[in-house]
Short mmCIF file of all heavy atoms in Angstrom, two decimals:
data_model
loop_
_atom_site.label_atom_id
_atom_site.label_comp_id
_atom_site.label_asym_id
_atom_site.label_seq_id
_atom_site.Cartn_x
_atom_site.Cartn_y
_atom_site.Cartn_z
N ARG A 1 122.66 128.72 100.88
CA ARG A 1 123.24 130.02 100.52
C ARG A 1 122.26 131.15 100.81
O ARG A 1 121.07 130.95 101.00
CB ARG A 1 123.61 130.03 99.03
CG ARG A 1 124.74 129.12 98.66
CD ARG A 1 125.24 129.37 97.26
NE ARG A 1 124.20 129.78 96.32
CZ ARG A 1 124.37 129.79 95.01
NH1 ARG A 1 125.52 129.42 94.50
NH2 ARG A 1 123.40 130.18 94.21
N ARG A 2 122.79 132.38 100.79
CA ARG A 2 121.96 133.56 100.99
C ARG A 2 121.42 134.12 99.68
O ARG A 2 120.78 135.17 99.66
CB ARG A 2 122.78 134.64 101.70
CG ARG A 2 123.21 134.25 103.11
CD ARG A 2 123.96 135.38 103.77
NE ARG A 2 124.36 135.02 105.13
CZ ARG A 2 125.05 135.82 105.95
NH1 ARG A 2 125.40 137.04 105.52
NH2 ARG A 2 125.37 135.42 107.16
N THR A 3 121.67 133.43 98.59
CA THR A 3 121.15 133.84 97.29
C THR A 3 120.29 132.72 96.73
O THR A 3 120.53 131.54 97.01
CB THR A 3 122.30 134.14 96.31
OG1 THR A 3 123.16 132.98 96.23
CG2 THR A 3 123.11 135.33 96.78
N PRO A 4 119.28 133.04 95.95
CA PRO A 4 118.40 132.00 95.42
C PRO A 4 119.06 131.19 94.31
O PRO A 4 120.07 131.62 93.71
CB PRO A 4 117.20 132.79 94.89
CG PRO A 4 117.75 134.14 94.59
CD PRO A 4 118.84 134.40 95.59
N ARG A 5 118.48 130.07 94.03
CA ARG A 5 118.91 129.21 92.92
C ARG A 5 117.73 129.08 91.97
O ARG A 5 116.65 128.64 92.38
CB ARG A 5 119.37 127.83 93.41
CG ARG A 5 120.52 127.88 94.41
CD ARG A 5 120.80 126.49 94.96
NE ARG A 5 121.78 126.49 96.03
CZ ARG A 5 123.09 126.26 95.86
NH1 ARG A 5 123.56 126.02 94.65
NH2 ARG A 5 123.92 126.29 96.89
N TYR A 6 117.94 129.42 90.70
CA TYR A 6 116.85 129.48 89.75
C TYR A 6 116.90 128.32 88.75
O TYR A 6 117.97 127.78 88.44
CB TYR A 6 116.88 130.80 88.97
CG TYR A 6 116.67 132.02 89.83
CD1 TYR A 6 117.73 132.87 90.13
CD2 TYR A 6 115.42 132.34 90.33
CE1 TYR A 6 117.55 134.01 90.90
CE2 TYR A 6 115.23 133.47 91.11
CZ TYR A 6 116.29 134.30 91.39
OH TYR A 6 116.11 135.41 92.17
N ALA A 7 115.70 127.96 88.27
CA ALA A 7 115.55 127.06 87.11
C ALA A 7 116.31 125.75 87.29
O ALA A 7 117.16 125.39 86.48
CB ALA A 7 115.99 127.77 85.84
N ILE A 8 115.99 125.04 88.36
CA ILE A 8 116.58 123.72 88.60
C ILE A 8 115.55 122.67 88.24
O ILE A 8 114.41 122.68 88.74
CB ILE A 8 117.02 123.58 90.07
CG1 ILE A 8 118.12 124.60 90.38
CG2 ILE A 8 117.51 122.16 90.35
CD1 ILE A 8 118.53 124.60 91.82
N GLY A 9 115.92 121.77 87.36
CA GLY A 9 115.01 120.73 86.89
C GLY A 9 115.44 119.36 87.34
O GLY A 9 116.63 119.07 87.44
N LEU A 10 114.45 118.50 87.61
CA LEU A 10 114.71 117.11 87.96
C LEU A 10 113.85 116.21 87.09
O LEU A 10 112.71 116.56 86.76
CB LEU A 10 114.43 116.83 89.43
CG LEU A 10 115.47 117.31 90.43
CD1 LEU A 10 115.06 118.65 91.02
CD2 LEU A 10 115.69 116.30 91.55
N ALA A 11 114.38 115.04 86.75
CA ALA A 11 113.65 114.08 85.93
C ALA A 11 114.25 112.71 86.13
O ALA A 11 115.40 112.57 86.57
CB ALA A 11 113.70 114.47 84.45
N VAL A 12 113.45 111.69 85.83
CA VAL A 12 113.99 110.34 85.75
C VAL A 12 114.90 110.28 84.54
O VAL A 12 114.54 110.74 83.45
CB VAL A 12 112.85 109.30 85.65
CG1 VAL A 12 113.42 107.90 85.46
CG2 VAL A 12 111.98 109.35 86.89
N GLN A 13 116.09 109.74 84.72
CA GLN A 13 117.08 109.78 83.65
C GLN A 13 116.55 109.12 82.38
O GLN A 13 116.02 108.02 82.39
CB GLN A 13 118.37 109.07 84.09
CG GLN A 13 119.51 109.22 83.10
CD GLN A 13 120.72 108.42 83.49
OE1 GLN A 13 120.60 107.42 84.18
NE2 GLN A 13 121.89 108.83 83.05
N GLY A 14 116.68 109.85 81.29
CA GLY A 14 116.29 109.31 79.99
C GLY A 14 114.85 109.56 79.60
O GLY A 14 114.48 109.26 78.46
N THR A 15 114.01 110.11 80.48
CA THR A 15 112.61 110.31 80.14
C THR A 15 112.35 111.67 79.50
O THR A 15 111.48 111.81 78.64
CB THR A 15 111.73 110.18 81.38
OG1 THR A 15 112.09 111.19 82.35
CG2 THR A 15 111.90 108.81 82.01
N GLY A 16 113.07 112.70 79.92
CA GLY A 16 112.85 114.03 79.39
C GLY A 16 111.64 114.74 79.96
O GLY A 16 111.28 115.83 79.49
N HIS A 17 110.99 114.17 80.98
CA HIS A 17 109.84 114.81 81.63
C HIS A 17 110.36 115.57 82.86
O HIS A 17 110.56 114.97 83.92
CB HIS A 17 108.78 113.79 82.01
CG HIS A 17 108.26 112.99 80.85
ND1 HIS A 17 107.60 113.58 79.80
CD2 HIS A 17 108.33 111.67 80.57
CE1 HIS A 17 107.25 112.65 78.92
NE2 HIS A 17 107.69 111.49 79.36
N TRP A 18 110.54 116.86 82.72
CA TRP A 18 111.21 117.66 83.74
C TRP A 18 110.21 118.34 84.66
O TRP A 18 109.13 118.74 84.24
CB TRP A 18 112.10 118.71 83.09
CG TRP A 18 113.24 118.12 82.32
CD1 TRP A 18 113.27 117.83 80.99
CD2 TRP A 18 114.51 117.73 82.85
NE1 TRP A 18 114.48 117.28 80.65
CE2 TRP A 18 115.26 117.21 81.77
CE3 TRP A 18 115.09 117.77 84.11
CZ2 TRP A 18 116.55 116.75 81.93
CZ3 TRP A 18 116.38 117.31 84.27
CH2 TRP A 18 117.10 116.79 83.18
N ALA A 19 110.61 118.45 85.91
CA ALA A 19 109.89 119.26 86.90
C ALA A 19 110.85 120.33 87.38
O ALA A 19 111.96 120.02 87.82
CB ALA A 19 109.41 118.40 88.07
N TRP A 20 110.42 121.61 87.29
CA TRP A 20 111.31 122.73 87.54
C TRP A 20 110.93 123.45 88.83
O TRP A 20 109.76 123.47 89.21
CB TRP A 20 111.27 123.71 86.38
CG TRP A 20 111.70 123.11 85.09
CD1 TRP A 20 110.90 122.50 84.17
CD2 TRP A 20 113.04 123.00 84.59
NE1 TRP A 20 111.64 122.02 83.12
CE2 TRP A 20 112.96 122.32 83.34
CE3 TRP A 20 114.28 123.43 85.06
CZ2 TRP A 20 114.10 122.06 82.58
CZ3 TRP A 20 115.40 123.16 84.30
CH2 TRP A 20 115.31 122.49 83.07
N ALA A 21 111.95 124.01 89.47
CA ALA A 21 111.70 124.72 90.74
C ALA A 21 112.79 125.76 90.94
O ALA A 21 113.93 125.63 90.45
CB ALA A 21 111.68 123.76 91.92
N ASP A 22 112.42 126.82 91.65
CA ASP A 22 113.37 127.82 92.14
C ASP A 22 113.50 127.64 93.65
O ASP A 22 112.49 127.51 94.35
CB ASP A 22 112.88 129.24 91.84
CG ASP A 22 112.78 129.50 90.35
OD1 ASP A 22 113.53 128.88 89.58
OD2 ASP A 22 111.92 130.33 89.95
N VAL A 23 114.72 127.61 94.14
CA VAL A 23 114.95 127.39 95.57
C VAL A 23 115.28 128.73 96.22
O VAL A 23 116.24 129.41 95.82
CB VAL A 23 116.10 126.39 95.80
CG1 VAL A 23 116.19 126.02 97.28
CG2 VAL A 23 115.88 125.14 94.97
N PRO A 24 114.50 129.15 97.22
CA PRO A 24 114.76 130.45 97.85
C PRO A 24 116.04 130.43 98.67
O PRO A 24 116.54 129.36 99.03
CB PRO A 24 113.52 130.65 98.74
CG PRO A 24 113.04 129.27 99.03
CD PRO A 24 113.34 128.45 97.80
N PRO A 25 116.58 131.61 98.99
CA PRO A 25 117.80 131.66 99.82
C PRO A 25 117.54 131.09 101.21
O PRO A 25 116.54 131.40 101.85
CB PRO A 25 118.14 133.15 99.87
CG PRO A 25 116.86 133.86 99.52
CD PRO A 25 116.12 132.96 98.60
N GLN A 26 118.46 130.20 101.63
CA GLN A 26 118.38 129.54 102.93
C GLN A 26 116.98 128.94 103.15
O GLN A 26 116.40 129.05 104.23
CB GLN A 26 118.74 130.52 104.05
CG GLN A 26 120.18 131.00 104.00
CD GLN A 26 120.54 131.91 105.14
OE1 GLN A 26 119.67 132.53 105.77
NE2 GLN A 26 121.83 132.01 105.45
N GLY A 27 116.48 128.31 102.13
CA GLY A 27 115.15 127.70 102.21
C GLY A 27 115.11 126.38 101.46
O GLY A 27 116.14 125.83 101.06
N GLU A 28 113.89 125.89 101.26
CA GLU A 28 113.67 124.62 100.60
C GLU A 28 112.60 124.76 99.52
O GLU A 28 111.76 125.66 99.58
CB GLU A 28 113.24 123.53 101.60
CG GLU A 28 114.29 123.16 102.62
CD GLU A 28 113.82 122.05 103.54
OE1 GLU A 28 112.60 121.75 103.54
OE2 GLU A 28 114.66 121.48 104.26
N ALA A 29 112.65 123.85 98.57
CA ALA A 29 111.63 123.75 97.54
C ALA A 29 111.31 122.27 97.35
O ALA A 29 112.19 121.41 97.51
CB ALA A 29 112.09 124.38 96.23
N ALA A 30 110.05 121.97 97.02
CA ALA A 30 109.61 120.60 96.83
C ALA A 30 109.34 120.36 95.35
O ALA A 30 108.76 121.21 94.66
CB ALA A 30 108.36 120.31 97.65
N VAL A 31 109.75 119.20 94.87
CA VAL A 31 109.56 118.82 93.47
C VAL A 31 108.99 117.41 93.45
O VAL A 31 109.40 116.55 94.24
CB VAL A 31 110.88 118.88 92.69
CG1 VAL A 31 110.71 118.32 91.29
CG2 VAL A 31 111.40 120.30 92.61
N GLN A 32 108.04 117.18 92.55
CA GLN A 32 107.46 115.85 92.37
C GLN A 32 107.75 115.36 90.95
O GLN A 32 107.50 116.08 89.98
CB GLN A 32 105.96 115.86 92.60
CG GLN A 32 105.54 115.89 94.06
CD GLN A 32 104.05 115.68 94.24
OE1 GLN A 32 103.26 115.93 93.34
NE2 GLN A 32 103.65 115.21 95.41
N ILE A 33 108.28 114.16 90.86
CA ILE A 33 108.45 113.50 89.57
C ILE A 33 107.88 112.09 89.69
O ILE A 33 107.69 111.58 90.80
CB ILE A 33 109.93 113.45 89.13
CG1 ILE A 33 110.78 112.74 90.19
CG2 ILE A 33 110.47 114.84 88.87
CD1 ILE A 33 112.24 112.61 89.79
N SER A 34 107.57 111.48 88.58
CA SER A 34 106.90 110.18 88.62
C SER A 34 107.48 109.24 87.57
O SER A 34 108.11 109.68 86.60
CB SER A 34 105.39 110.36 88.40
OG SER A 34 105.14 110.92 87.13
N PHE A 35 107.26 107.96 87.79
CA PHE A 35 107.62 106.93 86.83
C PHE A 35 106.67 105.76 87.04
O PHE A 35 106.00 105.66 88.07
CB PHE A 35 109.08 106.49 86.99
CG PHE A 35 109.35 105.66 88.22
CD1 PHE A 35 109.44 104.28 88.15
CD2 PHE A 35 109.49 106.27 89.47
CE1 PHE A 35 109.67 103.52 89.29
CE2 PHE A 35 109.73 105.52 90.61
CZ PHE A 35 109.81 104.14 90.51
N THR A 36 106.60 104.88 86.07
CA THR A 36 105.73 103.71 86.14
C THR A 36 106.58 102.47 86.38
O THR A 36 107.37 102.10 85.49
CB THR A 36 104.91 103.55 84.86
OG1 THR A 36 104.15 104.74 84.63
CG2 THR A 36 103.95 102.37 84.97
N PRO A 37 106.47 101.81 87.53
CA PRO A 37 107.22 100.58 87.76
C PRO A 37 106.81 99.51 86.76
O PRO A 37 105.67 99.48 86.28
CB PRO A 37 106.84 100.19 89.20
CG PRO A 37 106.34 101.46 89.81
CD PRO A 37 105.69 102.22 88.71
N PRO A 38 107.72 98.61 86.41
CA PRO A 38 107.41 97.60 85.38
C PRO A 38 106.38 96.58 85.80
O PRO A 38 105.76 95.94 84.95
CB PRO A 38 108.77 96.94 85.13
CG PRO A 38 109.57 97.21 86.37
CD PRO A 38 109.12 98.53 86.88
N GLY A 39 106.14 96.36 87.08
CA GLY A 39 105.18 95.37 87.52
C GLY A 39 105.22 95.24 89.03
O GLY A 39 105.84 96.05 89.73
N ARG A 40 104.53 94.22 89.55
CA ARG A 40 104.50 94.04 91.00
C ARG A 40 105.88 93.63 91.50
O ARG A 40 106.73 93.16 90.75
CB ARG A 40 103.46 92.99 91.39
CG ARG A 40 103.85 91.57 90.98
CD ARG A 40 102.89 90.54 91.54
NE ARG A 40 103.31 89.20 91.12
CZ ARG A 40 104.14 88.43 91.81
NH1 ARG A 40 104.66 88.88 92.94
NH2 ARG A 40 104.47 87.23 91.37
N GLY A 41 106.09 93.82 92.79
CA GLY A 41 107.36 93.44 93.40
C GLY A 41 108.04 94.64 94.03
O GLY A 41 107.46 95.72 94.17
N LEU A 42 109.29 94.46 94.38
CA LEU A 42 110.09 95.51 95.01
C LEU A 42 111.05 96.06 93.96
O LEU A 42 111.90 95.33 93.45
CB LEU A 42 110.86 94.94 96.20
CG LEU A 42 111.50 95.94 97.16
CD1 LEU A 42 110.45 96.84 97.80
CD2 LEU A 42 112.29 95.21 98.25
N HIS A 43 110.90 97.33 93.63
CA HIS A 43 111.69 97.95 92.57
C HIS A 43 112.50 99.11 93.14
O HIS A 43 111.98 99.91 93.91
CB HIS A 43 110.79 98.46 91.45
CG HIS A 43 109.92 97.41 90.84
ND1 HIS A 43 110.37 96.54 89.87
CD2 HIS A 43 108.62 97.07 91.07
CE1 HIS A 43 109.40 95.72 89.53
NE2 HIS A 43 108.33 96.01 90.24
N ARG A 44 113.74 99.19 92.72
CA ARG A 44 114.57 100.33 93.12
C ARG A 44 114.19 101.55 92.30
O ARG A 44 113.86 101.44 91.11
CB ARG A 44 116.06 99.98 92.93
CG ARG A 44 116.99 101.00 93.57
CD ARG A 44 118.44 100.56 93.42
NE ARG A 44 118.72 99.36 94.17
CZ ARG A 44 118.98 99.33 95.48
NH1 ARG A 44 118.98 100.46 96.17
NH2 ARG A 44 119.24 98.20 96.09
N VAL A 45 114.24 102.70 92.93
CA VAL A 45 113.95 103.95 92.22
C VAL A 45 115.01 104.14 91.13
O VAL A 45 116.21 103.99 91.38
CB VAL A 45 113.96 105.14 93.21
CG1 VAL A 45 113.83 106.46 92.46
CG2 VAL A 45 112.83 104.98 94.21
#
């Protein structure tokens, strides 16, 4: 869009640890969130 998007949060469902970002018009924003896998092996996000 040609208008910005404000106060967008992302988190792993159920954790409540949010990372917030504003996305500029016709642009991109990067967000980092984290979680701890239960152990070794191949785990789905």
Side-chain angles (χ1 to χ4, degrees):
R1 293 191 326 194
R2 296 182 179 180
T3 55
R5 301 174 187 265
Y6 296 106
I8 297 175
L10 283 98
V12 176
Q13 188 185 26
T15 61
H17 302 298
W18 295 93
W20 299 91
D22 297 332
V23 188
Q26 295 183 338
E28 294 182 347
V31 173
Q32 283 189 336
I33 57 177
S34 62
F35 72 100
T36 303
R40 70 173 180 90
L42 193 61
H43 303 278
R44 191 176 293 279
V45 173

